[in-house]
Amino acid sequence: LSKKVQAIYLWWHKPVIDRELLQSLPNLKVIANSGAGMDHLDMKLVSSFGVKMANAPCAVSSSTADAGMALLLASARRIVEVHHIAVSSSMDYCEADILGVKVSGATLGIIGMGRIGYKIALRARAFEMKILYHNRTQRKAQEEQAVGATYCEKIDSLLQQADFVMVVVSLTPQTRNLIGKRELELMKPTATLINISRGAVVDQEALVMALQAGVIGAAALDVTYPEPLPRDHPLLKLKNVIITPHLGIKTDKATYMITEEAVENILAVLNGLPMPSEVLPI
Amino acid sequence: MWYHKPVVNKELLQSLPNLRIVASSGVGIDHLDLNLLSSFGVKVSNTPFVISTDTADLGMALMLASSRRLVEGYEMAVSPDTEYFPADWLGTQVSGATLGIVGMGTIGYKVAERAKAFEMKILYHNRSQRKKEDESAVGAVYCKKIDDLLQQSDFVLLAVNLNPQTHKLIGKRELELMKPTATLINISRGLVVDQDALVEALQNKVIKAAALDVTYPEPLPRDHPLLKLKNVIITPHIGSATKKTRRIMMEEMIESIQAGLAGLPIPHEVL
């Protein structure tokens, strides 16, 4: 069987692609990933076996942008907290204690203005949010104007002004621990950090300390390191933290589109055609 | 007056001979008997527009939280029993889906503006059709018959005010017209929905889910079936519950009271 395998469709990081597996599949030509992030793959290793790689960047962008907005709104309006109050056996609360933060008109800072970041900007604009962004490179003027986004060449400037900081970068050696103690301290004490990228982009211990000390106001995390967190982790107990189980791309529609994109890439390789979304090791 | 308290009835009005004005928080005045108040010569004011944006934001928040199963997801993420996140755990996509807005007033329109950015297809039902420019600006299509909207929508959002025509607007018939994959979002008033019919529809999977900022009564009795359904999110009437907006509401109410006491024209008077 192992000689027959020409393609792997990697669903949710399984199977684990290591040297042993690659050696046991001599005719493997392509690994298609179910999602955009490739940080779980040793791309240099895979490439050294002459195996091509593909991700599914288009399929994931809308659903992930939606998830980012869902987390922003849920955190600002305290949806999880007040739902639990509304269904709990004792309705013991004071109106003034459950007030949220007004989203419309607030400032959103997007770190990472790629496909997903840009879709977030489009959505946030409809909420009349003021949009700042930080990116490796500045976007074209028309693109900026279309969403009313202002470029912050230095991340510090974004962190100091934003009410909501949304992290949407891919995980690379440069973005590991991008948000640490220094960055959290630059943020407003009323600000919310939303992470829909990868857990490792944020220095998690620094985040816990910042939340406990009131250095920032709240956090909403779709991703952590590891996933799931150990059951005794402090992040699970903080009142001002929403954690979701990496649901960024988990919709019926996105799953379908991701699979379509993967199959397109696999067929392209097997037929010797150009791949729609090939990923090369950096 | 906050949250419908105190209850303004004949006994109260008779006991307060010098009462000049009742300033009510929020936009809804369904809890006030306007004719009764008028007969006592008492003026009424509300805070109509300041609440629109936050309420529209909340409508979107509920649609997103429900479709992506945020509350369930959070519980899974923090539960002591969770060992891994299952690969087949999915929500419903909002982007590109069809949103049916019932009641295209100020709030309904703001919801449409937001939903457009999510590339949603927008249908709306209203007492009257809105101007062409307004429709084009958000890409909204008018459904003169509510049935058309109900049959095509993935999300049905209620943004009407409560009056005799909208009382139990959404009942068994309307719920059965909805798609079995559809979600009902209510940011209007509990009584716009036939609550018992809603419970049955949810239990029998006639519709998929509901997200309710309003119920009847508020709060629901603690043993009410709606509190136990996994596919229901309930929030305690927080449509306008942000610090900024509550502050402005209070300022507007005071303005109205001061004008009422001074015999001047009352901003936001309800006639």
Side-chain angles (χ1 to χ4, degrees):
Chain A
L1 181 67
S2 53
K3 290 220 160 63
K4 288 187 177 172
V5 175
Q6 295 185 78
I8 291 179
Y9 176 29
L10 206 61
W11 184 252
W12 210 244
H13 305 194
K14 294 201 181 75
V16 173
I17 307 293
D18 54 18
R19 189 172 283 274
E20 233 186 282
L21 185 75
L22 291 165
Q23 279 169 338
S24 71
L25 301 173
N27 288 319
L28 181 66
K29 298 198 169 44
V30 55
I31 297 174
N33 190 40
S34 62
M38 302 291 272
D39 49 278
H40 55 289
L41 277 174
D42 183 341
M43 292 202 280
K44 287 210 165 73
L45 177 69
V46 172
S47 201
S48 72
F49 278 81
V51 176
K52 290 186 186 286
M53 292 165 287
N55 65 351
C58 306
V60 305
S61 42
S62 291
S63 52
T64 311
D66 288 357
M69 292 304 294
L71 283 170
L72 188 158
L73 286 160
S75 179
R77 303 300 292 270
R78 303 168 69 169
I79 303 280
V80 175
E81 217 187 318
V82 303
H83 166 80
H84 285 128
I85 289 173
V87 306
S88 76
S89 48
S90 80
M91 281 282 282
D92 200 13
Y93 71 96
C94 176
E95 296 297 342
D97 291 340
I98 59 166
L99 296 181
V101 166
K102 193 179 168 86
V103 166
S104 282
T107 300
L108 170 64
I110 301 174
I111 300 177
M113 192 75 131
R115 241 188 213 97
I116 300 171
Y118 195 75
K119 288 205 169 185
I120 290 170
L122 284 165
R123 285 148 178 71
R125 183 162 186 269
F127 286 80
E128 300 157 65
M129 296 187 88
K130 180 172 176 211
I131 300 168
L132 308 172
Y133 77 101
H134 175 72
N135 204 38
R136 278 175 296 198
T137 53
Q138 187 164 3
R139 281 224 170 206
K140 293 190 222 137
Q142 314 112 284
E143 291 175 335
E144 286 185 338
Q145 270 161 35
V147 296
T150 305
Y151 184 53
C152 291
E153 191 167 353
K154 296 184 71 192
I155 200 178
D156 297 35
S157 161
L158 178 152
L159 295 169
Q160 285 162 331
Q161 299 178 72
D163 299 305
F164 298 91
V165 175
M166 177 105 54
V167 184
V168 203
V169 293
S170 50
L171 178 60
T172 67
Q174 292 77 41
T175 61
R176 190 170 286 274
N177 285 335
L178 179 67
I179 307 295
K181 184 174 196 288
R182 192 193 80 95
E183 288 72 27
L184 293 161
E185 282 172 357
L186 283 168
M187 284 170 65
K188 293 180 174 182
T190 48
T192 300
L193 179 73
I194 302 142
N195 190 3
I196 53 168
S197 60
R198 284 290 181 269
V201 172
V202 173
D203 176 344
Q204 230 160 237
E205 278 174 34
L207 176 63
V208 171
M209 281 173 60
L211 287 161
Q212 286 172 335
V215 168
I216 66 170
L221 316 169
D222 189 38
V223 288
T224 58
Y225 185 77
E227 284 168 15
L229 287 168
R231 299 293 85 189
D232 58 357
H233 199 282
L235 278 174
L236 303 187
K237 299 176 187 57
L238 290 169
K239 254 208 127 33
N240 50 353
V241 175
I242 296 180
I243 303 184
T244 47
H246 202 150
L247 48 71
I249 60 167
K250 290 187 149 174
T251 69
D252 42 7
K253 197 170 182 188
T255 303
Y256 189 79
M257 287 168 68
I258 287 166
T259 303
E260 268 190 333
E261 245 179 292
V263 169
E264 262 183 48
N265 278 287
I266 290 172
L267 290 176
V269 171
L270 298 183
N271 293 322
L273 294 166
M275 293 164 70
S277 40
E278 180 169 13
V279 182
L280 299 164
I282 311 155
Chain B
M1 163 177 279
W2 282 96
Y3 281 96
H4 309 191
K5 295 194 185 82
V7 171
V8 178
N9 53 21
K10 210 177 193 150
E11 286 76 50
L12 185 77
L13 293 171
Q14 279 168 338
S15 72
L16 301 172
N18 291 318
L19 183 66
R20 304 269 284 279
I21 177 166
V22 169
S24 183
S25 67
V27 62
I29 37 103
D30 47 277
H31 56 291
L32 291 171
D33 183 338
L34 295 178
N35 289 331
L36 178 69
L37 283 153
S38 190
S39 73
F40 277 82
V42 176
K43 293 191 184 283
V44 178
S45 73
N46 62 354
T47 62
F49 300 114
V50 65
I51 53 103
S52 318
T53 309
D54 280 347
T55 310
D57 287 355
L58 183 72
M60 294 299 296
L62 285 174
M63 177 165 63
L64 287 161
S66 175
S67 61
R68 303 304 293 269
R69 301 170 67 185
L70 235 56
V71 174
E72 266 182 271
Y74 169 80
E75 285 165 1
M76 190 196 311
V78 306
S79 159
D81 304 325
T82 295
E83 288 172 27
Y84 63 91
F85 296 149
D88 59 352
W89 190 93
L90 298 176
T92 309
Q93 182 123 323
V94 164
S95 277
T98 301
L99 169 64
I101 301 174
V102 180
M104 193 76 132
T106 310
I107 297 170
Y109 195 74
K110 286 191 184 235
V111 172
E113 285 175 331
R114 283 146 179 72
K116 177 170 195 274
F118 287 74
E119 301 155 59
M120 296 189 89
K121 181 173 174 207
I122 301 169
L123 308 171
Y124 77 101
H125 175 73
N126 204 39
R127 275 176 297 199
S128 54
Q129 189 164 1
R130 287 195 73 139
K131 284 186 247 158
K132 272 230 148 15
E133 311 89 73
D134 292 345
E135 285 185 338
S136 325
V138 296
V141 174
Y142 184 52
C143 290
K144 192 162 182 184
K145 296 180 72 192
I146 199 176
D147 298 34
D148 293 330
L149 179 151
L150 296 170
Q151 285 165 329
Q152 299 178 72
S153 299
D154 300 303
F155 299 93
V156 175
L157 187 144
L158 307 176
V160 290
N161 54 29
L162 178 61
N163 55 52
Q165 291 76 44
T166 60
H167 187 266
K168 290 200 175 167
L169 178 66
I170 305 296
K172 186 174 198 287
R173 192 193 81 94
E174 289 71 29
L175 293 161
E176 283 173 357
L177 283 169
M178 284 170 66
K179 292 180 176 183
T181 49
T183 300
L184 181 72
I185 301 141
N186 192 2
I187 53 168
S188 62
R189 282 288 181 272
L191 285 171
V192 171
V193 176
D194 177 345
Q195 228 162 238
D196 292 337
L198 176 63
V199 171
E200 256 193 71
L202 287 162
Q203 286 171 336
N204 298 332
K205 301 195 202 291
V206 168
I207 66 169
K208 185 181 192 173
L212 316 168
D213 187 42
V214 288
T215 57
Y216 186 77
E218 283 169 17
L220 288 168
R222 298 295 86 192
D223 57 356
H224 198 281
L226 277 174
L227 303 186
K228 298 177 187 56
L229 291 169
K230 262 225 121 33
N231 50 351
V232 175
I233 295 181
I234 300 185
T235 49
H237 202 150
I238 53 165
S240 64
T242 66
K243 294 188 186 94
K244 254 198 176 125
T245 297
R246 287 290 164 89
R247 182 177 200 91
I248 300 173
M249 282 163 74
M250 193 58 122
E251 285 170 1
E252 286 189 3
M253 287 159 75
I254 291 172
E255 252 185 7
S256 292
I257 289 172
Q258 286 174 329
L261 296 181
L264 293 168
I266 297 168
H268 317 302
E269 180 168 6
V270 180
L271 300 159

